[in-house]
Amino acid sequence: MPRLTLSTSTGFSRRTFVALSLAAGVALSALGSAQAAPKTSLSLGMSVEPSGLDPTAAAPVAIGQVTWQNIFEGLTTIDKDGKVQPQLADSWTISPDGLTYTFKLRSGVMFHNGEAFDSSVAKFSIDRARAADSVNPQKRYFASVDSVETPDAATLVVKLKSPTGNFLYWLGWPSSAMVAPKSAADNKTNPVGTGPFKFVNWAKGSQVELAKNPDYWNKAGTAKLEKVTFRFIADPQAQAAALKSGDLDAFPEFAAPELMASFDGDSKLTTVIGNTELKVVAGMNNAKKPFDDKRVRQALMLAVDRQALIDGAWSGFGTAIGSHYTPNDRGFVDLTKTYAYDPEKARKLLKDAGYGSGLTFTIKAPQMPYAQRSSQMLQAMFADVGVTLNIETTEFPAKWVADVFKGGNYDMTIVAHAEPMDIDIYARDPYYFNYKNPAFNEVLKKVDATADAAEQAKLYGEAQKILAEDVPALYLFVMPKLGVWNKNLKGLWENEPIPSNVLAQVEWAQ
């Protein structure tokens, strides 16, 4: 505290002086306390802005990364270790035949607009997701639902047409969030959920703001932050600059691995390398030549040096894969040696398939750095075996979804599939790979028919081996979660078993 000197020329009495001294002391003490108080706001960066804010109505993972577990919740949830946990359903029982799920729902849960959550709302949400006109991105996961019953407000009974071993897991996904009947239609731009944060504002092209929900049902999970701002910054250099200046507090998925070293020695920031489900694959249109010939697909896989690609395209960050599966997932099998790098063998297979004199096709590559760099690396590797790869940059998500995902108008493309345990996409008809294999489909049916984890793991191993041998897509690498955030920030997930930014337990250190 600054020292005050008494001067007889001031005309102050000693009593006045003492009063002023005490007042100054109190003011400075209060100022010190205010400065020491932890922050209650968070500015978090994302590379991609969501196309909407309703995870039950569209597929882009950025939607869930803003809203899942922050605004919206489900009957079940997926924790940071990838395990299913109760959420709006407090408990459940499953009939011996695996066809009837009886959920006991939590009481006293309210939506942000004041609507009460009960079995009628849960029924509405599930029926909406499985309806004929549903636009739910995971609608297929509700295809096995035969009926939904509400014996009372706290009890929900879901009857299935056939056993679905992963049903509780799928109910924990963003696409399975519970939505209120009165607000569901407007959730794309004004999301209303039951979560620890409320939606405040969306400045398109810039940011989304959330505020703490003071009436959150789970008092043990009440948000520690008062305000969260998601800021959308596509340029990696701008991302790094915002972090270093303190303009951003965190970037949980930093998009430029080549810049990670630039944070070394920064006294305010920490870097974290975690696991994700982001499988980078170069999908091929299996319904058209030359990709309808398995030998061509196998040859292209043999032409790829996965480690060199990881080093060149993603600065050495990443884990090579040999099938559409990550080391995080149950039943993982390392199949990178099935078609390991062997350019000589690749040339022979191409010759056997009738393409010894050359082959030319185009890859439609989204604008994201990983897709562009990987395409350039593939271009050089393919050239080594006599294949010419033309690169066409395609805006993601809108044009890529229209041309590739929905239109099937492509030869090859490259994207990071973010959904956990999504090996079943190769059994979907239609799906952009246009891959059809009855033997593969049969294995996945067996997965659904059992809830036994060990049996499921074994079956998932069989499914991986089929894909590694058939090569409907080139299996490249799993992207890591490259996080950069303020050292005083606690509670962010280091790993990503599901694309998300779960913020209820995030806080600033005292």
Side-chain angles (χ1 to χ4, degrees), residues 99-329:
L99 296 177
T100 302
Y101 287 69
T102 302
F103 298 92
K104 289 299 179 182
L105 307 182
R106 298 189 189 275
S107 61
V109 177
M110 303 293 288
F111 282 88
H112 301 152
N113 63 355
E115 289 185 70
F117 170 76
D118 59 16
S119 61
S120 67
V121 173
K123 173 178 168 59
F124 167 80
S125 297
I126 294 175
D127 284 346
R128 175 176 176 261
R130 71 190 187 98
D133 61 350
S134 168
V135 294
N136 190 291
Q138 311 301 343
K139 181 179 178 180
R140 64 194 177 281
Y141 293 144
F142 298 93
S144 65
V145 175
D146 186 44
S147 66
V148 185
E149 301 172 1
T150 57
D152 57 62
T155 306
L156 181 76
V157 179
V158 180
K159 295 185 176 180
L160 306 181
K161 301 171 186 175
S162 58
T164 306
N166 286 317
F167 188 59
L168 293 173
Y169 180 73
W170 305 137
L171 286 178
W173 278 36
S175 56
S176 300
M178 296 290 101
V179 295
K182 292 181 181 178
S183 56
D186 299 321
N187 277 338
K188 185 176 180 179
T189 55
N190 185 31
V192 174
T194 61
F197 291 95
K198 291 182 175 183
F199 171 72
V200 175
N201 180 60
W202 182 8
K204 296 286 183 71
S206 176
Q207 62 187 37
V208 167
E209 292 183 30
L210 309 183
K212 179 179 179 177
N213 174 14
D215 303 315
Y216 185 46
W217 63 269
N218 182 5
K219 299 309 176 187
T222 299
K224 302 178 186 301
L225 297 169
E226 296 290 336
K227 176 183 175 182
V228 174
T229 303
F230 290 89
R231 292 182 52 200
F232 311 116
I233 304 175
D235 179 66
Q237 295 286 351
Q239 294 172 9
L243 284 163
K244 292 174 182 178
S245 68
D247 192 33
L248 274 182
D249 299 316
F251 218 106
E253 285 191 11
F254 188 65
E258 73 279 6
L259 295 179
M260 285 294 282
S262 71
F263 302 109
D264 291 350
D266 192 306
S267 61
K268 296 180 180 179
L269 299 172
T270 187
T271 57
V272 178
I273 302 174
N275 300 319
T276 74
E277 291 289 325
L278 290 161
K279 300 163 287 289
V280 180
V281 304
M284 292 169 280
N285 192 338
N286 287 245
K288 66 184 295 187
K289 291 183 179 298
F291 309 106
D292 59 346
D293 190 327
K294 180 165 68 174
R295 294 171 296 180
V296 172
R297 304 195 302 266
Q298 292 170 338
L300 294 174
M301 191 73 263
L302 287 164
V304 178
D305 183 337
R306 292 182 181 90
Q307 190 55 54
L309 186 143
I310 292 170
D311 292 341
W314 218 234
S315 299
F317 295 102
T319 303
I321 51 173
S323 185
H324 197 98
Y325 222 67
T326 79
N328 307 324
D329 301 328

